[in-house]
Amino acid sequence: MLRLTTSIALLFSGVVAASPLPDFPFINVTGQAMLEVAPDKAQIRFQLRQTGTTAEQATRGVYQQGEKLLTFLKSKGITEQALDAAQINKEALFKDYQDRSITGYEASQPITLTLDNLEHYVAIMDYLFTQPQIFSIHSSFDHSQREQFEITLSEKAGANAKQRATMLAAAQGVKLSTVFAITESGGFGSLAGDFGFAGGQVSFGRMEKMSADSAMAGALLAPKQITLQKSINVIYKLNP
């Protein structure tokens, strides 16, 4: 019985020593800030993909589709510098899962297109969606002054955290002291979960038609605004 009691005491002592909690009165709050801005740039990711009975045929098909893409983009005043192309991939096509006889080949090339303005966004999306050998098309929107906006959001999130902490402390009859910790990334174990910045989250606002360069343009929309969000976690020491 004596040895059992001793073991429990040692275990409890070890748990206390490993605790991530501060050893003084504190309050942990999350400040948040949000800003809606009109996007002025976009990034479009897609894949050129072609199949053929031979590896050369499939690869040449990707080359030809790439040349057509460059010709179209140049007609919109977009240079090759806006494109980031990965290495071409080649895969064998088999008859089925059991019969591994090669029946052909598939070549593909991931492409990233960065648009510094949205003037031709809808026309470009029209082109990409109507090309039979272009797949996996995804768009994301951003603003060229994101860094300046994030500085403003960080300041507002910090002010919001202090306001929340002050109100909570006053409700308990105590006052805020100094800041013990403030972070933009995860930390403090399970104390605050995802402790830190939310990574500059982007969510879309209302959608609107950007242009009418083609007969299909009415079906394609771009966001009228995007919502930038920041959250920041702060630990304040408390005075009685």
Side-chain angles (χ1 to χ4, degrees):
M1 179 64 71
L2 177 60
R3 283 181 294 181
L4 177 60
T5 303
T6 302
S7 298
I8 293 174
L10 290 174
L11 176 61
F12 180 77
S13 176
V15 171
V16 172
S19 174
L21 298 175
D23 58 358
F24 52 79
F26 70 94
I27 184 171
N28 173 213
V29 294
T30 300
Q32 297 179 333
M34 185 167 43
L35 180 65
E36 293 182 345
V37 298
D40 63 2
K41 60 189 299 185
Q43 193 172 76
I44 307 172
R45 294 182 175 87
F46 54 93
Q47 279 196 12
L48 308 181
R49 192 183 306 160
Q50 179 74 10
T51 59
T53 55
T54 66
E56 181 179 4
Q57 185 180 31
T59 303
R60 295 295 178 190
V62 170
Y63 290 158
Q64 292 171 4
Q65 183 66 67
E67 291 173 357
K68 288 178 59 178
L69 173 65
L70 287 175
T71 299
F72 171 78
L73 292 177
K74 287 180 180 178
S75 73
K76 300 300 180 182
I78 300 172
T79 65
E80 293 184 24
Q81 283 68 34
L83 286 172
D84 184 12
Q87 182 176 336
I88 292 179
N89 300 313
K90 184 190 73 173
E91 301 288 343
L93 301 176
F94 302 99
K95 185 174 181 179
D96 53 45
Y97 288 107
Q98 295 181 341
D99 187 344
R100 305 305 285 172
S101 301
I102 296 178
T103 59
Y105 295 86
E106 178 183 89
S108 62
Q109 185 175 32
I111 303 287
T112 300
L113 172 61
T114 300
L115 301 178
D116 291 331
N117 64 72
L118 301 181
E119 179 182 2
H120 300 297
Y121 170 78
V122 170
I124 291 171
M125 293 297 285
D126 280 344
Y127 175 84
L128 296 177
F129 276 111
T130 55
Q131 296 303 301
Q133 304 303 329
I134 296 181
F135 299 88
S136 304
I137 305 168
H138 301 283
S139 296
S140 60
F141 299 86
D142 210 335
H143 198 283
S144 56
Q145 297 182 4
R146 168 184 277 277
E147 289 186 5
Q148 290 87 335
F149 288 141
E150 290 193 345
I151 291 174
T152 300
L153 286 170
S154 297
E155 293 173 350
K156 290 184 176 180
N160 180 250
K162 187 172 183 179
Q163 181 183 30
R164 292 186 179 188
T166 301
M167 293 175 59
L168 288 171
Q172 300 301 318
V174 295
K175 295 181 180 180
L176 297 184
S177 181
T178 58
V179 173
F180 171 71
I182 181 171
T183 184
E184 298 181 357
S185 59
F188 301 102
S190 61
L191 175 62
D194 294 330
F195 195 91
F197 262 91
Q201 299 174 8
V202 177
S203 60
F204 297 117
R206 293 181 298 168
M207 310 290 279
E208 66 174 8
K209 185 167 69 175
M210 299 297 294
S211 66
D213 292 341
S214 73
M216 290 182 60
L220 290 173
L221 302 175
K224 183 176 181 180
Q225 61 189 23
I226 56 177
T227 302
L228 304 179
Q229 302 176 34
K230 282 286 188 180
S231 63
I232 187 170
N233 287 279
V234 185
I235 295 177
Y236 290 94
K237 291 182 179 180
L238 294 175
N239 285 331

Tab-separated table of all heavy atoms in Angstrom, residues 25-48:
chain	number	residue	atom	x	y	z
A	25	PRO	N	-1.385	34.323	-12.161
A	25	PRO	CA	-2.713	34.620	-12.704
A	25	PRO	C	-2.600	35.240	-14.098
A	25	PRO	O	-1.794	36.149	-14.317
A	25	PRO	CB	-3.294	35.615	-11.703
A	25	PRO	CG	-2.523	35.391	-10.450
A	25	PRO	CD	-1.144	35.003	-10.872
A	26	PHE	N	-3.384	34.742	-15.038
A	26	PHE	CA	-3.290	35.252	-16.407
A	26	PHE	C	-4.649	35.145	-17.088
A	26	PHE	O	-5.574	34.486	-16.609
A	26	PHE	CB	-2.253	34.465	-17.205
A	26	PHE	CG	-2.667	33.047	-17.519
A	26	PHE	CD1	-3.290	32.730	-18.713
A	26	PHE	CD2	-2.436	32.025	-16.603
A	26	PHE	CE1	-3.669	31.425	-18.994
A	26	PHE	CE2	-2.808	30.720	-16.866
A	26	PHE	CZ	-3.435	30.422	-18.080
A	27	ILE	N	-4.737	35.799	-18.239
A	27	ILE	CA	-5.916	35.691	-19.086
A	27	ILE	C	-5.448	35.537	-20.521
A	27	ILE	O	-4.506	36.210	-20.948
A	27	ILE	CB	-6.843	36.924	-18.928
A	27	ILE	CG1	-8.127	36.726	-19.750
A	27	ILE	CG2	-6.138	38.210	-19.342
A	27	ILE	CD1	-9.179	37.790	-19.462
A	28	ASN	N	-6.043	34.621	-21.232
A	28	ASN	CA	-5.679	34.343	-22.619
A	28	ASN	C	-6.846	34.745	-23.527
A	28	ASN	O	-7.955	34.240	-23.373
A	28	ASN	CB	-5.354	32.851	-22.771
A	28	ASN	CG	-5.138	32.439	-24.224
A	28	ASN	OD1	-5.470	31.321	-24.596
A	28	ASN	ND2	-4.601	33.320	-25.048
A	29	VAL	N	-6.613	35.654	-24.453
A	29	VAL	CA	-7.673	36.133	-25.339
A	29	VAL	C	-7.215	36.062	-26.786
A	29	VAL	O	-6.019	36.062	-27.078
A	29	VAL	CB	-8.095	37.577	-25.003
A	29	VAL	CG1	-8.757	37.657	-23.643
A	29	VAL	CG2	-6.901	38.515	-25.085
A	30	THR	N	-8.197	36.014	-27.676
A	30	THR	CA	-7.939	36.032	-29.112
A	30	THR	C	-8.542	37.298	-29.700
A	30	THR	O	-9.735	37.550	-29.548
A	30	THR	CB	-8.536	34.801	-29.806
A	30	THR	OG1	-7.960	33.621	-29.257
A	30	THR	CG2	-8.284	34.840	-31.302
A	31	GLY	N	-7.709	38.089	-30.354
A	31	GLY	CA	-8.191	39.273	-31.053
A	31	GLY	C	-8.338	38.989	-32.525
A	31	GLY	O	-7.533	38.261	-33.121
A	32	GLN	N	-9.370	39.555	-33.131
A	32	GLN	CA	-9.642	39.296	-34.541
A	32	GLN	C	-9.877	40.607	-35.285
A	32	GLN	O	-10.338	41.594	-34.712
A	32	GLN	CB	-10.855	38.386	-34.692
A	32	GLN	CG	-10.671	36.998	-34.074
A	32	GLN	CD	-11.895	36.131	-34.226
A	32	GLN	OE1	-13.006	36.624	-34.329
A	32	GLN	NE2	-11.679	34.826	-34.244
A	33	ALA	N	-9.554	40.586	-36.570
A	33	ALA	CA	-9.796	41.744	-37.431
A	33	ALA	C	-10.110	41.249	-38.832
A	33	ALA	O	-9.622	40.203	-39.265
A	33	ALA	CB	-8.595	42.674	-37.437
A	34	MET	N	-10.923	42.000	-39.548
A	34	MET	CA	-11.371	41.604	-40.875
A	34	MET	C	-11.435	42.840	-41.766
A	34	MET	O	-11.794	43.930	-41.311
A	34	MET	CB	-12.740	40.926	-40.769
A	34	MET	CG	-13.264	40.368	-42.065
A	34	MET	SD	-14.690	39.254	-41.802
A	34	MET	CE	-15.642	40.146	-40.585
A	35	LEU	N	-11.082	42.660	-43.016
A	35	LEU	CA	-11.078	43.778	-43.964
A	35	LEU	C	-11.520	43.272	-45.329
A	35	LEU	O	-11.023	42.256	-45.813
A	35	LEU	CB	-9.670	44.380	-44.059
A	35	LEU	CG	-9.485	45.567	-45.004
A	35	LEU	CD1	-10.285	46.771	-44.506
A	35	LEU	CD2	-8.004	45.922	-45.130
A	36	GLU	N	-12.468	43.965	-45.935
A	36	GLU	CA	-12.942	43.602	-47.263
A	36	GLU	C	-12.288	44.514	-48.297
A	36	GLU	O	-12.334	45.732	-48.171
A	36	GLU	CB	-14.463	43.710	-47.343
A	36	GLU	CG	-15.193	42.681	-46.488
A	36	GLU	CD	-16.702	42.774	-46.609
A	36	GLU	OE1	-17.174	43.811	-47.125
A	36	GLU	OE2	-17.387	41.823	-46.213
A	37	VAL	N	-11.675	43.896	-49.312
A	37	VAL	CA	-11.008	44.657	-50.359
A	37	VAL	C	-11.369	44.070	-51.719
A	37	VAL	O	-11.706	42.881	-51.827
A	37	VAL	CB	-9.473	44.643	-50.182
A	37	VAL	CG1	-9.084	45.290	-48.862
A	37	VAL	CG2	-8.925	43.230	-50.266
A	38	ALA	N	-11.302	44.896	-52.742
A	38	ALA	CA	-11.533	44.427	-54.107
A	38	ALA	C	-10.261	43.772	-54.624
A	38	ALA	O	-9.196	44.386	-54.586
A	38	ALA	CB	-11.940	45.590	-54.996
A	39	PRO	N	-10.304	42.536	-55.085
A	39	PRO	CA	-9.083	41.882	-55.577
A	39	PRO	C	-8.581	42.566	-56.839
A	39	PRO	O	-9.364	43.063	-57.645
A	39	PRO	CB	-9.545	40.451	-55.862
A	39	PRO	CG	-11.006	40.585	-56.146
A	39	PRO	CD	-11.494	41.684	-55.257
A	40	ASP	N	-7.265	42.588	-57.000
A	40	ASP	CA	-6.700	43.177	-58.217
A	40	ASP	C	-5.697	42.241	-58.893
A	40	ASP	O	-5.007	42.639	-59.830
A	40	ASP	CB	-6.052	44.532	-57.920
A	40	ASP	CG	-4.870	44.433	-56.962
A	40	ASP	OD1	-4.526	43.298	-56.548
A	40	ASP	OD2	-4.293	45.478	-56.620
A	41	LYS	N	-5.615	40.993	-58.423
A	41	LYS	CA	-4.730	40.019	-59.055
A	41	LYS	C	-5.294	38.619	-58.850
A	41	LYS	O	-6.139	38.394	-57.969
A	41	LYS	CB	-3.310	40.124	-58.487
A	41	LYS	CG	-3.227	39.884	-57.001
A	41	LYS	CD	-1.848	40.202	-56.449
A	41	LYS	CE	-0.754	39.361	-57.051
A	41	LYS	NZ	0.561	39.596	-56.418
A	42	ALA	N	-4.843	37.698	-59.660
A	42	ALA	CA	-5.347	36.325	-59.576
A	42	ALA	C	-4.244	35.356	-59.963
A	42	ALA	O	-3.289	35.706	-60.663
A	42	ALA	CB	-6.556	36.131	-60.475
A	43	GLN	N	-4.394	34.134	-59.481
A	43	GLN	CA	-3.496	33.049	-59.871
A	43	GLN	C	-4.368	31.888	-60.343
A	43	GLN	O	-5.291	31.474	-59.641
A	43	GLN	CB	-2.615	32.635	-58.700
A	43	GLN	CG	-1.454	31.744	-59.100
A	43	GLN	CD	-0.492	31.524	-57.946
A	43	GLN	OE1	-0.778	30.756	-57.036
A	43	GLN	NE2	0.650	32.193	-57.977
A	44	ILE	N	-4.074	31.395	-61.531
A	44	ILE	CA	-4.853	30.307	-62.127
A	44	ILE	C	-3.939	29.103	-62.294
A	44	ILE	O	-2.880	29.193	-62.912
A	44	ILE	CB	-5.433	30.710	-63.490
A	44	ILE	CG1	-6.218	32.023	-63.386
A	44	ILE	CG2	-6.343	29.601	-64.031
A	44	ILE	CD1	-6.661	32.580	-64.724
A	45	ARG	N	-4.342	27.971	-61.730
A	45	ARG	CA	-3.576	26.733	-61.850
A	45	ARG	C	-4.354	25.740	-62.708
A	45	ARG	O	-5.564	25.579	-62.529
A	45	ARG	CB	-3.303	26.120	-60.470
A	45	ARG	CG	-2.388	26.959	-59.594
A	45	ARG	CD	-2.135	26.257	-58.267
A	45	ARG	NE	-1.174	26.964	-57.444
A	45	ARG	CZ	-1.484	27.930	-56.602
A	45	ARG	NH1	-2.760	28.295	-56.460
A	45	ARG	NH2	-0.546	28.540	-55.894
A	46	PHE	N	-3.659	25.057	-63.605
A	46	PHE	CA	-4.311	24.085	-64.475
A	46	PHE	C	-3.268	23.114	-65.019
A	46	PHE	O	-2.063	23.268	-64.765
A	46	PHE	CB	-5.050	24.788	-65.623
A	46	PHE	CG	-4.193	25.734	-66.425
A	46	PHE	CD1	-3.532	25.313	-67.571
A	46	PHE	CD2	-4.045	27.059	-66.032
A	46	PHE	CE1	-2.738	26.181	-68.307
A	46	PHE	CE2	-3.255	27.943	-66.757
A	46	PHE	CZ	-2.603	27.503	-67.899
A	47	GLN	N	-3.744	22.108	-65.752
A	47	GLN	CA	-2.840	21.111	-66.326
A	47	GLN	C	-3.115	20.945	-67.813
A	47	GLN	O	-4.283	20.841	-68.230
A	47	GLN	CB	-3.004	19.755	-65.644
A	47	GLN	CG	-2.279	19.625	-64.324
A	47	GLN	CD	-2.150	18.171	-63.890
A	47	GLN	OE1	-2.406	17.243	-64.661
A	47	GLN	NE2	-1.733	17.957	-62.656
A	48	LEU	N	-2.050	20.923	-68.596
A	48	LEU	CA	-2.132	20.485	-69.987
A	48	LEU	C	-2.012	18.968	-69.965
A	48	LEU	O	-1.088	18.430	-69.338
A	48	LEU	CB	-1.008	21.092	-70.819
A	48	LEU	CG	-0.828	22.611	-70.764
A	48	LEU	CD1	0.318	23.034	-71.674
A	48	LEU	CD2	-2.106	23.326	-71.133
